[in-house]
Amino acid sequence: MNLALYREFRPKNFDEVIGQDYIVKTLKNQIKLDRLTHAYLFCGPRGTGKTSTAKIFAKAVNCTHSKDGNPCDMCAECVALSETNTDIIEIDAASNNRVEEIRDLREKVSFPPLIGKYKVYIIDEVHMLTDSAFNALLKTLEEPPKHVIFILATTEIHKLPATILSRCTRFDFKLLPLSTLIEQVKYVFDKKGITYDEKSLHLIAKAGEGSVRDTLSIADSVASFCDYKITHEMAEQVIGLSSKDSIKEILINLTNENLNEMFVAIKRALGTGKNIQVLCKEMADYIKTLIMIKVGVTDYAVLDILPGEFANFSETSKNFDLEFLKRAFTKFSETELNLKYSLNPENLFEATCLSLIEKPVVNVVQNVQPVQQSYQPVQQVKVEEKKVEAVVSDEMDKIWGNVLIKIKERNMFALSNALMSVVKVERLVNKLIIYTNDLSSFELIDNAERLNVILKVVNLFDDSIAEVKVEYDKSTASKQDIKDNLKEIFKDKIKFKE
């Protein structure tokens, strides 16, 4: 069976681990100086080398002829540990997360290693353990036998208890920069005899979004599709990225308010089956690049573009006003999040485009000079202050929808259920007013602590709002609801005529 590229080119020693230099150097020094600790925590995004580094480390601490901290891959220990064995134990916490599995582990750690000096436990996705399992692991993790080393790997460090974190030596794996990923894809393609152009390397590496494994998986798909002769046009087709010309066409039609051509350009970009979320993300990335060029950024590494593309981007940026680009970047970045929850993503994307054509509302204040007449004294004109009208907007509704999702994600079920009764959301300058027609929900929400929680979540999406207030909307409450609520409050002290 043919191995996937990310498996075939998985690092076999520390020198082959890319983009994590400080972690590699620290681990090699600990091995050379024999200053190992009993528990390590490898955390960071997927595909950045956590498990690969753990396996190399497990082999290196048992190697009898270590070279500069690297396993020699020749001694009896290295050869034995390269295969499935009892001294390097990998546990997938996603499927072995119960307390029974951890208790079983506690019983087995006391047995000495059969081959090398250390028995190494690699617990992947450790954040998936239950609370009971974490408690069972705690004592063993704190004081394991001298022949045992634990390596915990996780992509979600915030889910680990503080008691676990405090007992481990922590290493944070980072996403790799675009230039490093391009060099890695180039190295792999050269080794495999795959032909390519520079643009295709850039497209593949950018689609990997900092993950080595994701990048090589995408490279594998593109190479198979192109019969190992890769062009950037075919790479675009496989990855599903919208071409920069399509994005440029949409933006130019927006600024020229040419709606007919704008809709055609959107349909053309989506016509080949491209994902609309990918299109939206590409729009935001493209606009961000134009903004950086307009404000004077010239470093290709910061811009995430090829050297040959700078002149084209620079020329394109002259077609747009900086304020328009800033508004467009904000809108498309927000829409990228909202598309996940939309029932009609294409309509939402097109609505975002149309909203950029709307001109900002300008309040014109006219200074009216009083007419002075010789036979009458000057009369002072009393200007009556206009009441600020509350605004109910589609944008506010979208924000409120995201607020409900965030509160539910925080497991605040009582507040989440109460907020489901909200029938209207209004904005009054920097104040947000929410209306509910359920009296019991109103009483639960109308609490300083809960309103403060709602305000903090609202500020994640709009930090200009300084206060949240809740109102009981009697006008939309049914008579039966009002009766039921009054009965609940006054018990037998009130009677209604039927």
Side-chain angles (χ1 to χ4, degrees):
M1 183 186 293
N2 185 43
L3 280 178
L5 288 180
Y6 78 87
R7 291 183 61 193
E8 185 178 347
F9 289 89
R10 175 171 247 165
K12 297 176 180 62
N13 56 58
F14 285 123
D15 295 337
E16 293 179 6
V17 177
I18 60 172
Q20 314 296 344
D21 296 342
Y22 97 91
I23 296 173
V24 167
K25 186 174 182 179
T26 304
L27 294 176
K28 286 169 74 173
N29 285 341
Q30 286 190 353
I31 293 168
K32 287 189 290 184
L33 300 172
D34 195 22
R35 292 185 177 177
L36 304 174
T37 58
H38 66 281
Y40 294 85
L41 176 61
F42 292 174
C43 53
R46 69 182 189 278
T48 50
K50 299 184 296 295
T51 306
S52 296
T53 304
K55 289 180 178 180
I56 295 166
F57 182 75
K59 196 193 291 186
V61 295
N62 285 301
C63 179
T64 53
H65 299 90
S66 178
K67 299 176 182 178
D68 190 32
N70 278 310
C72 68
D73 284 327
M74 296 177 66
C75 65
E77 288 80 1
C78 282
V79 173
L81 292 173
S82 296
E83 306 298 330
T84 304
N85 60 83
T86 56
D87 285 355
I88 300 178
I89 303 97
E90 290 187 62
I91 300 171
D92 177 20
S95 53
N96 300 281
N97 58 359
R98 296 179 304 165
V99 67
E100 288 81 5
E101 277 93 2
I102 301 302
R103 284 174 181 162
D104 183 54
L105 180 151
R106 286 173 57 186
E107 292 174 6
K108 291 178 179 177
V109 293
S110 57
F111 299 119
L114 297 176
I115 301 168
K117 185 179 178 182
Y118 294 99
K119 181 183 277 189
V120 182
Y121 285 87
I122 301 171
I123 306 179
D124 208 3
E125 302 297 339
V126 70
H127 63 273
M128 298 291 284
L129 291 179
T130 62
D131 291 341
S132 301
F134 273 125
N135 292 333
L137 178 65
L138 197 58
K139 190 63 179 175
T140 306
L141 191 66
E142 185 176 22
E143 296 177 2
K146 290 184 179 180
H147 60 263
V148 171
I149 294 174
F150 282 100
I151 303 177
L152 313 181
T154 179
T155 54
E156 300 187 46
I157 187 71
H158 58 279
K159 291 187 178 179
L160 268 63
T163 49
I164 297 291
L165 295 174
S166 64
R167 287 161 171 80
C168 300
T169 302
R170 175 174 169 175
F171 291 99
D172 290 282
F173 285 71
K174 308 294 184 185
L175 290 170
L176 274 66
L178 185 65
S179 56
T180 305
L181 290 176
I182 289 173
E183 287 302 314
Q184 182 65 9
V185 176
K186 188 174 182 180
Y187 167 77
V188 169
F189 282 172
D190 288 343
K191 280 280 186 182
K192 297 291 289 183
I194 300 170
T195 60
Y196 55 86
D197 57 30
E198 290 298 322
K199 282 189 177 181
S200 62
L201 292 179
H202 185 271
L203 286 171
I204 293 167
K206 194 165 186 178
E209 297 183 335
S211 165
V212 183
R213 185 172 63 234
D214 288 1
T215 301
L216 291 183
S217 294
I218 293 166
D220 212 347
S221 299
V222 172
S224 298
F225 176 76
C226 301
D227 196 20
Y228 298 93
K229 296 175 183 177
I230 300 173
T231 63
H232 71 273
E233 292 90 357
M234 287 192 281
E236 271 187 0
Q237 197 173 341
V238 175
I239 297 167
L241 296 177
S242 303
S243 70
K244 292 180 175 63
D245 289 339
S246 297
I247 294 170
K248 178 180 174 182
E249 188 181 3
I250 294 169
L251 284 174
I252 287 177
N253 285 314
L254 267 176
T255 54
N256 295 336
E257 298 188 17
N258 191 341
L259 299 184
N260 178 35
E261 290 300 322
M262 183 200 75
F263 283 117
V264 171
I266 293 172
K267 286 292 182 185
R268 191 181 297 120
L270 299 173
T272 55
K274 302 249 172 40
N275 187 296
I276 197 155
Q277 245 182 299
V278 173
L279 173 61
C280 192
K281 181 182 181 300
E282 287 292 300
M283 291 283 289
D285 289 344
Y286 187 89
I287 294 165
K288 183 176 74 172
T289 303
L290 294 178
I291 291 172
M292 288 194 288
I293 288 174
K294 281 190 86 71
V295 298
V297 178
T298 56
D299 189 341
Y300 303 128
V302 177
L303 293 168
D304 273 355
I305 61 173
L306 293 170
E309 292 181 316
F310 182 82
N312 189 26
F313 269 103
S314 182
E315 190 63 31
T316 302
S317 68
K318 296 174 184 176
N319 296 312
F320 307 104
D321 177 65
L322 183 58
E323 288 304 313
F324 168 80
L325 290 175
K326 282 157 61 175
R327 282 197 303 125
F329 179 64
T330 303
K331 289 277 188 184
F332 285 115
S333 298
E334 290 172 352
T335 302
E336 186 187 346
L337 172 66
N338 295 332
L339 283 170
K340 297 177 184 178
Y341 311 107
S342 175
L343 296 175
N344 195 326
E346 189 174 335
N347 282 358
L348 179 57
F349 179 81
E350 290 169 345
T352 301
C353 293
L354 291 174
S355 68
L356 292 169
I357 297 174
E358 296 173 4
K359 298 291 188 294
V361 178
V362 180
N363 293 322
V364 181
V365 180
Q366 294 182 347
N367 294 321
V368 180
Q369 299 294 333
V371 180
Q372 298 184 15
Q373 296 183 12
S374 57
Y375 56 89
Q376 283 186 346
V378 177
Q379 297 286 334
Q380 285 190 348
V381 179
K382 186 177 179 181
V383 180
E384 198 175 302
E385 291 185 0
K386 289 186 177 180
K387 292 181 180 179
V388 181
E389 295 182 357
V391 177
V392 184
S393 66
D394 291 339
E395 188 175 351
M396 199 67 247
D397 286 345
K398 290 176 189 174
I399 290 174
W400 184 248
N402 288 325
V403 168
L404 293 178
I405 291 168
K406 282 290 180 186
I407 289 176
K408 192 170 183 180
E409 286 176 355
R410 295 185 180 192
N411 297 329
M412 304 177 72
F413 299 116
L415 180 58
S416 177
N417 290 335
L419 290 175
M420 293 303 290
S421 69
V422 171
V423 293
K424 186 169 62 173
V425 181
E426 288 184 344
R427 177 172 180 165
L428 188 66
V429 191
N430 62 347
K431 183 190 291 185
L432 187 69
I433 305 172
I434 57 178
Y435 294 87
T436 174
N437 58 11
D438 183 80
L439 191 57
S440 58
S441 296
F442 167 75
E443 290 171 347
L444 191 144
I445 299 167
D446 193 23
N447 169 283
E449 188 176 339
R450 292 191 183 100
L451 289 172
N452 190 43
V453 169
I454 297 169
L455 176 62
K456 286 181 179 178
V457 177
V458 169
N459 285 157
L460 294 174
F461 305 98
D462 188 343
D463 57 8
S464 65
I465 294 174
E467 183 185 357
V468 174
K469 188 177 177 184
V470 61
E471 297 281 356
Y472 176 51
D473 186 6
K474 295 179 182 178
S475 63
T476 60
S478 71
K479 290 181 181 179
Q480 189 60 44
D481 286 343
I482 296 170
K483 284 182 182 180
D484 290 342
N485 287 321
L486 290 173
K487 283 178 182 177
E488 180 68 26
I489 295 167
F490 295 104
K491 306 295 181 186
D492 300 329
K493 296 178 183 178
I494 188 169
K495 292 182 179 180
F496 296 95
K497 287 182 179 181
E498 297 298 332

